[in-house]
Amino acid sequence: GAGVSQSPSNKVTEKGKDVELRCDPISGHTALYWYRQSLGQGLEFLIYFQGNSAPDKSGLPSDRFSAERTGGSVSTLTIQRTQQEDSAVYLCASSSGTQYFGPGTRLLVL
Amino acid sequence: AQSVSQHNHHVILSEAASLELGCNYSYGGTVNLFWYVQYPGQHLQLLLKYFSGDPLVKGIKGFEAEFIKSKFSFNLRKPSVQWSDTAEYFCAVNLAAGNNRKLIWGLGTSLAVNP
């Protein structure tokens, strides 16, 4: 596709369950970013992938959060044992200079 | 620590009014600067960006922004707003050097334009 896509668009889960969020970047973009957008807050950087380099995980809020990027393309963000404070919109962006954003996954943890 | 400040959290204007949204950053080194817009129900879109060169940059939909290095500012302007400009506006900054271009974001400014 022409843009960044994310799935699912919405996810409702129960506290304590694991969730996986998917991001398909723009073809050819070597950099991929995950951000979190909470109500009334700015965007919070989570993790960054660049080519085959080790990812920058400095923004992950806890060890319950992890992400991988397979084959330098699709990325999955996993949240284990979800908590209510994990509720937010999770945004993925890909870049070859300027970051272009996907529509986000709205996560609600009950 | 690096930070981006947007001074106006909520702005309400009438159509045809002029707009200026403030953005200041605290970031060592040469920076790239961005304004993104999020229309209701839509995802973030790039409005304009500054990498180098002319500090006055023009973006889509009649928006422009001026980079004033001495003031660490990158204010967004539009001479005459329209109802369709109602949206959330975010200023963001990253370092121009190095491989990691993670963006540092302001908290956003909610703009409501009354018809």
Side-chain angles (χ1 to χ4, degrees), chain A residues 33 35 37 40-45 48 50 53 56 58-59 91 97-104, chain B residues 32 34 36 38 42-46 49 51 88 90 94 99-108:
Chain A
Y33 302 80
Y35 296 91
Q37 184 178 25
Q41 312 239 346
L43 278 76
E44 175 189 6
F45 165 78
Y48 156 70
Q50 172 64 58
S53 303
D56 175 358
S58 61
L91 294 170
T98 298
Q99 294 182 31
Y100 293 91
F101 286 81
Chain B
N32 299 321
F34 305 83
Y36 282 85
Q38 190 168 28
Q42 298 188 28
H43 61 276
L44 279 164
Q45 302 172 41
L46 181 69
K49 62 185 178 184
F51 282 7
E88 190 90 14
F90 294 92
N94 65 13
N99 288 326
N100 192 338
R101 304 295 175 89
K102 65 184 180 186
L103 288 166
I104 306 299
W105 296 82
L107 293 180

Side-chain angles (χ1 to χ4, degrees), chain B residues 19-23 35-37 47-48 57 59 63-66 74-78 89-90:
Chain B
L19 171 71
E20 180 160 3
L21 301 182
C23 174
W35 276 97
Y36 282 85
V37 60
L47 199 54
L48 49 78
V57 292
F63 286 90
E64 65 178 31
E66 184 175 13
F74 190 55
N75 292 355
L76 180 71
R77 300 194 293 250
K78 185 171 183 178
Y89 292 82
F90 294 92

Side-chain angles (χ1 to χ4, degrees), chain B residues 19-34:
Chain B
L19 171 71
E20 180 160 3
L21 301 182
C23 174
N24 285 86
Y25 66 93
S26 171
Y27 219 129
T30 304
V31 294
N32 299 321
L33 299 143
F34 305 83

Side-chain angles (χ1 to χ4, degrees), chain A residues 20-89:
Chain A
E20 280 192 356
L21 312 180
R22 177 187 168 106
C23 172
D24 284 83
I26 293 171
S27 178
H29 280 189
T30 57
L32 187 148
Y33 302 80
W34 284 97
Y35 296 91
R36 179 167 71 175
Q37 184 178 25
S38 302
L39 193 63
Q41 312 239 346
L43 278 76
E44 175 189 6
F45 165 78
L46 297 178
I47 188 169
Y48 156 70
F49 296 90
Q50 172 64 58
N52 296 320
S53 303
D56 175 358
K57 304 178 182 180
S58 61
L60 294 178
S62 77
D63 59 7
R64 296 185 296 104
F65 287 72
S66 63
E68 62 178 22
R69 189 179 184 193
T70 53
S73 181
V74 172
S75 177
T76 303
L77 177 70
T78 301
I79 310 173
Q80 295 178 308
R81 306 180 302 281
T82 52
Q83 303 294 312
Q84 289 181 331
E85 61 262 28
D86 299 335
S87 296
V89 177

